[in-house]
């Protein structure tokens, strides 16, 4: 058993820094919290550099065979390391891995243009997973996927499908090449989602919470699509909108 | 112009207390922040007891004709009163009003069973507004609708349709009496949403983030419905699920 007693320990200080994007990118590592998320990571071959548990933490039975050699820390140190109000007693330091994604004919993709809120991005990733997509591309200006709140909101879905960073125009061009129609979520000058004919292969672009999808991306789309507003709301939350659109496009598959 | 100079001012202390449910219920008041939400409140006849602005705040032009007599406070006091990281310079203390809701034949309703996260509840209310529902009932154990984070996430939709507290079993009975079919969101033992026939009148019940809709409520339902999972996600966020279901049930109207 390895134990860290001091808050001043160099590893503690370094791990804590993983809550900043700069440090994550520099070290190629990120931090996840709680047994569910850690189990999802393990099950999907994420490399775990360090496991850190609180002294009173009972590891799940099926982890025992994995011969993990966790760092044991006090409740106080766990509180320092954790990002949540109620720490769950276990953290893991994971290594980033470069994921591969390639547009293929017949595929289903989500392109994210500048979503800022971590909870929204995490929920979008979870939703895209539920809808059975083949991959997600995060465009410039989108919040970092390794942000702890994003990771938490994905509920593990980040590990289920390829999520890559990229230039959206390049990806739209790749979709065009493979005859994957590109739909862009819009409020105006668009066709109602319920009138859209989807052949079950598509790329959907969703945009920033305030300003939506950038104009130049809209101009590259095959079709602008809106969700009809039956009441007095001006718009929907971006994760909710993504869910409604993805399930509609997905459902229409032939 | 009315000005409050001291942080120790009794009104400041009292308003600050409106961030607790107990105090809100005692005083029948709640606090909203930012020009958009305040404008929505004004446009929907919410009684505003006090308007509080930061000294540098420029009121929107169309507010001038309203002859509002705001309290002016320093940036520091606004920071104390505000619940957000980046205060928008204007707050309003609103009076709660008792809203009326009655189940009518042909109507569309959402029943919320124990949703705990304020952001989720606010987003659900916004989504139900967008889907053109006639009213929302918040069952026991659901987070307070006047919680500041709920209010913020509604984006004003709270003021667009009746949102009432109530006993869900009573409301289900009322739906039955008016031939409004009751659908309950479930993961198991349910019919796929895409196979459900909706006549455009319905009550949908959504449940707690972790445990879903309570068993006794499920047993009162006309139909349990699930959203198919095409990927590896175990479930969807409750607000996303509500959005997908409401738009599907709404769309099938004849």
């Amino acid at each position: 058993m390895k134990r860290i007693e001091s808050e001043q320990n160099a590893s503690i200080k370094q791990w804590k820094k993983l809550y900043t994007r700069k440090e994550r990118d520099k070290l190629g590592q990120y931090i996840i919290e709680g047994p569910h998320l850690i189990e999802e990571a393990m099950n999907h071959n994420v490399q775990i550099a360090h496991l850190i548990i609180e002294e009173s933490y009972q590891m799940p039975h099926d982890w025992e065979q994995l011969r993990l050699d966790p760092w044991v820390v006090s409740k106080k140190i766990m509180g320092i390391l954790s990002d949540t109000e109620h720490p769950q007693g276990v953290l893991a330091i994971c290594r980033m891995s470069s994921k591969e994604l390639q547009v293929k004919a017949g595929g289903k993709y989500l392109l994210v243009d500048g979503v800022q809120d971590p909870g929204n991005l995490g929920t979008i990733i979870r939703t895209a997973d539920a809808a059975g997509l083949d991959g997600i591309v995060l465009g410039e200006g989108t919040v970092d996927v390794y942000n702890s709140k994003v990771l938490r909101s994905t509920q593990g879905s980040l590990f289920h499908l390829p999520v890559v960073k990229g230039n959206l125009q390049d990806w739209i061009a790749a979709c065009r090449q493979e005859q994957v129609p590109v739909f862009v979520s819009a409020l105006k000058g668009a066709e109602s989602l319920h009138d859209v004919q989807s052949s079950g292969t598509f790329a959907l672009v969703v945009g920033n919470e305030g300003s939506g999808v950038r104009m130049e991306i809209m101009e590259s789309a095959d079709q602008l699509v809106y969700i009809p507003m039956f009441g007095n709301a001006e718009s929907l939350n971006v994760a909710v909108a993504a869910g409604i659109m993805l399930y509609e496009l997905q459902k229409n598959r032939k």
Side-chain angles (χ1 to χ4, degrees), chain A residues 36 39 70 75 89 178 194 205-206 220 245:
Chain A
H36 175 71
E39 212 157 279
K75 186 174 178 171
E178 297 295 334
H194 296 156
V205 190
V206 296
S220 310
M245 290 196 164

Side-chain angles (χ1 to χ4, degrees), chain A residues 97-110:
Chain A
S97 62
S98 57
K99 287 173 193 160
E100 303 254 327
L101 178 64
Q102 209 182 338
V103 175
K104 287 183 187 159
K108 293 185 281 289
Y109 308 94
L110 181 69

Side-chain angles (χ1 to χ4, degrees), chain A residues 2-4 9 11-12 14-16 18-19 29-35 38 42 48-55 57 59 63 68-75 77-82 87-94:
Chain A
K2 304 179 290 186
R3 216 184 144 91
I4 299 178
N9 178 288
S11 294
I12 300 291
Q14 196 202 20
W15 294 335
K16 186 77 190 161
L18 293 176
Y19 288 114
Q29 295 185 336
Y30 60 98
I31 199 164
I32 59 176
E33 179 160 359
I38 293 171
M42 287 175 180
I48 293 180
H50 302 282
L51 192 70
I52 304 141
I53 64 170
E54 195 180 312
E55 48 205 352
Y57 184 75
M59 278 213 271
W63 289 17
L68 302 162
D69 187 16
W71 294 98
V72 179
V73 299
S74 66
K75 186 174 178 171
I77 290 185
M78 182 53 78
I80 290 170
L81 278 177
S82 168
Q88 295 183 67
V90 58
L91 292 169
I93 311 297
C94 303

Side-chain angles (χ1 to χ4, degrees), chain A residues 78-224:
Chain A
M78 182 53 78
I80 290 170
L81 278 177
S82 168
D83 185 41
T84 60
E85 230 174 293
H86 305 287
Q88 295 183 67
V90 58
L91 292 169
I93 311 297
C94 303
R95 287 190 226 283
M96 294 179 186
S97 62
S98 57
K99 287 173 193 160
E100 303 254 327
L101 178 64
Q102 209 182 338
V103 175
K104 287 183 187 159
K108 293 185 281 289
Y109 308 94
L110 181 69
L111 313 186
V112 180
D113 184 33
V115 166
Q116 282 293 304
D117 180 83
N120 282 344
L121 182 62
T123 305
I124 286 171
I125 293 171
R126 179 180 175 192
T127 306
D129 177 18
L133 295 212
D134 297 303
I136 302 174
V137 182
L138 307 179
E140 314 78 13
T142 298
V143 59
D144 183 25
V145 72
Y146 296 113
N147 171 303
S148 61
K149 218 176 148 189
V150 174
L151 292 165
R152 204 151 60 232
S153 306
T154 67
Q155 300 253 332
S157 285
L158 172 68
F159 308 127
H160 299 166
L161 77 171
V163 181
V164 303
K165 286 186 232 177
N167 176 291
L168 296 189
Q169 293 287 18
D170 292 348
W171 283 90
I172 289 172
C175 287
R176 191 145 295 144
Q177 196 138 20
E178 297 295 334
Q179 267 94 50
V180 174
V182 178
F183 297 96
V184 171
S185 170
L187 292 175
K188 287 175 191 164
E191 190 169 356
S192 166
L193 179 65
H194 296 156
D195 296 330
V196 166
Q197 293 296 320
S198 163
S199 59
T201 173
F202 59 83
L204 173 68
V205 190
V206 296
N208 176 269
E209 289 87 348
S211 54
V213 174
R214 279 171 296 156
M215 188 57 73
E216 60 263 38
I217 302 286
M218 288 220 188
E219 288 168 356
S220 310
D222 290 301
Q223 195 161 6
L224 304 184

Side-chain angles (χ1 to χ4, degrees), chain A residues 33-49:
Chain A
E33 179 160 359
H36 175 71
L37 210 50
I38 293 171
E39 212 157 279
E40 289 283 342
M42 287 175 180
N43 289 342
H44 292 86
N45 302 316
V46 173
Q47 276 194 54
I48 293 180

